């Protein structure tokens, strides 16, 4: 086959993939970034990369797995950038959010406020994993976190690397990292308490 | 009494911090001891610790890829989808051109059938 028809075949295969997998890739990207604009960019880039490196695909894995692997890398880059580039405004926002969070949960001695003490969750909380309704509550709660906290939580779990390495890459101290995770988790726990267990 | 407990066994706020630190890094020996004692005495922090671990578990489960795609809310964006397809169609070119090239392929197979052996 000549070069031109190979090019056309590639474009046709990619087109086929767009028709088949665009919706799930896009839904996933929205889910992982909570941002329409970022999800649009990331999915477009995913198909662009797939197109450019089509000869590396070779049908070793199925197309869907391959596309998701590309998207996953793009999402990881996105969170690294989000985290590394805390614009002054985002930084202030997260400082402000911490202040409010801590003073709403703890008194001046650092004890739980009476109305905020963690309550035991019912035993069926073990089965939350497979409950789509719970997952959309969790998704909503993650979405409500300040951007930097959201990215920190994503990085904690997406990265297969050791946390020490994550910190090195992001150029932040270990203390800073776990403190942010701590705030994010406090807020998440409260959000889930209110929107799932109390509702 | 409370004051002594805080000095020796941390405040709840500090205990919560160490619970998260522990999920990422190694605690120092004294931190580990203090946390263990605090959680033994303070039932609220004991509950918090359990829930924190459960939350980690739930979030990690969500992170698994395609397996749990069923849990992700489907979102559509037909505009973007058709934009990408349009762009690809431009590359695929007009039908005439595509037909021309596929007819060439067809010819070369025909030729081979009779003369390439």
């Amino acid at each position: 086959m000549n070069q031109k028809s190979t090019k056309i075949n590639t474009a046709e295969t990619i087109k086929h993939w767009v028709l088949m997998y665009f919706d799930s890739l896009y839904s996933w990207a929205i889910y992982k970034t909570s941002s329409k604009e970022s999800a649009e960019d990331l999915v477009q880039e995913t198909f662009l990369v797939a197109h450019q490196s089509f000869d590396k695909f070779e049908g070793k894995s199925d197309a869907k797995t391959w596309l998701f692997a590309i998207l996953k890398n793009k999402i990881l880059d996105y969170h690294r950038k989000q985290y590394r580039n805390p614009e002054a405004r985002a930084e202030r926002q997260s400082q402000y959010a911490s202040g409010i969070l801590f003073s709403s949960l703890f008194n001046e001695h650092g004890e739980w406020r009476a109305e905020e003490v963690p309550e035991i969750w019912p035993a069926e909380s073990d089965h939350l994993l497979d409950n789509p309704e719970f997952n959309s509550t969790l998704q909503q709660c993650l979405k409500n976190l300040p951007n930097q906290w959201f990215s920190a939580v994503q990085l904690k779990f997406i990265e297969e690397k050791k946390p020490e390495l994550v910190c090195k890459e992001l150029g932040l101290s270990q203390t800073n990292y776990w403190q942010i995770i701590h705030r994010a988790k406090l807020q998440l726990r409260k959000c889930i308490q209110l929107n799932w267990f109390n509702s | 009494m409370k004051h002594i407990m805080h000095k020796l066994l941390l405040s709840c706020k500090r205990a919560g911090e160490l619970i998260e630190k522990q999920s990422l890094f190694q605690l120092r020996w004294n931190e580990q001891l203090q946390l263990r004692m605090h959680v033994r005495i303070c039932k609220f922090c004991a509950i918090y610790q359990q829930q924190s671990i459960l939350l980690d578990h739930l979030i990690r489960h969500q992170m698994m890829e395609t397996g749990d795609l069923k849990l992700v809310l489907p979102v559509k964006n037909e505009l973007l989808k058709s934009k990408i397809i349009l762009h690809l169609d431009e590359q695929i070119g007009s039908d005439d051109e595509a037909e021309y090239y596929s007819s060439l392929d067809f010819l070369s197979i025909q030729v081979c059938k009779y003369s390439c052996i």
Side-chain angles (χ1 to χ4, degrees):
Chain A
M1 256 193 295
N2 63 45
Q3 216 182 353
K4 187 142 192 178
S5 65
T6 310
K7 225 173 122 187
I8 290 169
N9 281 336
T10 306
E12 265 169 355
T13 309
I14 302 284
K15 183 181 164 183
H16 179 64
W17 289 353
V18 174
L19 290 168
M20 299 262 294
Y21 306 122
F22 177 89
D23 290 346
S24 37
L25 289 164
Y26 183 69
S27 305
W28 181 253
I30 287 264
Y31 178 59
K32 296 277 98 179
T33 62
S34 294
S35 149
K36 183 169 181 274
E37 290 74 29
S38 314
E40 286 185 344
D41 290 347
L42 294 171
V43 171
Q44 279 192 90
E45 283 169 29
T46 300
F47 283 113
L48 193 69
V49 170
H51 199 162
Q52 284 165 349
S53 49
F54 187 73
D55 49 330
K56 286 189 203 123
F57 170 58
E58 296 168 339
K60 268 182 205 154
S61 51
D62 69 306
K64 193 177 175 186
T65 312
W66 191 56
L67 291 170
F68 267 97
I70 297 173
L71 179 60
K72 189 185 163 189
N73 274 321
K74 294 267 158 211
I75 290 172
L76 195 53
D77 280 344
Y78 165 83
H79 285 300
R80 282 205 197 101
K81 268 189 218 135
Q82 276 285 106
Y83 198 104
R84 212 182 273 149
N85 165 34
E87 299 153 11
R89 201 165 53 87
E91 185 73 1
R92 267 208 302 278
Q93 181 203 358
S94 110
Q95 290 289 342
Y96 181 67
S98 319
I100 291 187
L101 178 71
F102 284 136
S103 61
S104 75
L105 296 179
F106 301 104
N107 67 17
E108 65 276 22
H109 304 297
E111 296 161 334
W112 292 99
R113 288 188 186 280
E115 64 277 17
E116 296 289 350
V117 294
E119 293 162 39
I120 294 178
W121 288 345
E124 70 262 26
S125 55
D126 291 345
H127 305 295
L128 291 175
L129 282 179
D130 300 311
N131 186 333
E133 279 175 51
F134 173 78
N135 270 280
S136 75
T137 306
L138 179 56
Q139 185 182 353
Q140 198 55 48
C141 288
L142 282 164
K143 220 177 186 171
N144 291 341
L145 294 173
N147 286 343
Q148 200 195 18
W149 301 6
F150 180 69
S151 289
V153 172
Q154 295 288 319
L155 287 171
K156 178 176 173 187
F157 297 102
I158 291 183
E159 284 278 2
E160 280 124 24
K161 287 175 194 158
K162 289 200 157 161
E164 288 84 354
L165 272 176
V166 177
C167 287
K168 218 174 178 181
E169 273 182 11
L170 296 171
L172 83 157
S173 73
Q174 296 189 0
T175 308
N176 197 304
Y177 187 45
W178 56 258
Q179 279 178 344
I180 286 177
I181 295 280
H182 175 230
R183 287 163 209 174
K185 291 279 287 290
L186 280 172
Q187 183 136 322
L188 266 183
R189 200 208 69 83
K190 186 174 175 178
C191 181
I192 284 166
Q193 178 77 51
L194 287 176
N195 295 297
W196 182 258
F197 292 104
N198 295 5
S199 71
Chain B
M1 174 63 195
K2 258 181 191 167
H3 190 68
I4 297 169
M5 185 171 142
H6 283 177
K7 274 268 150 71
L8 281 174
L9 304 172
L10 321 166
S11 67
C12 295
K13 188 177 156 196
R14 178 73 184 148
E17 282 182 352
L18 291 185
I19 288 168
E20 299 311 331
K21 184 182 179 185
Q22 194 174 34
S23 79
L24 286 158
F25 306 104
Q26 192 94 36
L27 292 182
R28 274 194 283 270
W29 70 268
N30 57 325
E31 292 173 332
Q32 204 166 9
L33 190 69
Q34 283 174 311
L35 179 61
R36 204 180 301 159
M37 298 291 279
H38 181 100
V39 169
R40 192 172 295 169
I41 294 168
C42 173
K43 68 173 182 196
F44 301 135
C45 288
I47 296 172
Y48 178 79
Q49 187 172 35
Q50 275 180 356
Q51 293 176 349
S52 169
I53 292 168
L54 178 65
L55 275 179
D56 273 358
H57 193 54
L58 293 169
I59 299 170
R60 184 170 287 118
H61 182 77
Q62 274 206 327
M63 299 283 163
M64 307 277 196
E65 268 151 284
T66 40
D68 65 347
L69 209 56
K70 62 179 190 297
L71 298 172
V72 176
L73 288 178
V75 191
K76 298 232 176 216
N77 190 334
E78 295 301 330
L79 190 69
L80 180 64
K81 200 202 292 191
S82 50
K83 231 168 82 182
I84 301 177
I85 289 176
L86 199 72
H87 182 71
L88 287 164
D89 277 339
E90 274 166 21
Q91 296 197 17
I92 294 167
S94 68
D95 287 339
D96 288 348
E97 200 181 31
E99 249 169 48
Y100 171 73
Y101 279 105
S102 64
S103 69
L104 277 188
D105 284 342
F106 177 70
L107 269 180
S108 65
I109 293 166
Q110 288 295 311
V111 171
C112 265
K113 243 186 185 170
Y114 298 108
S115 62
C116 297
I117 303 165

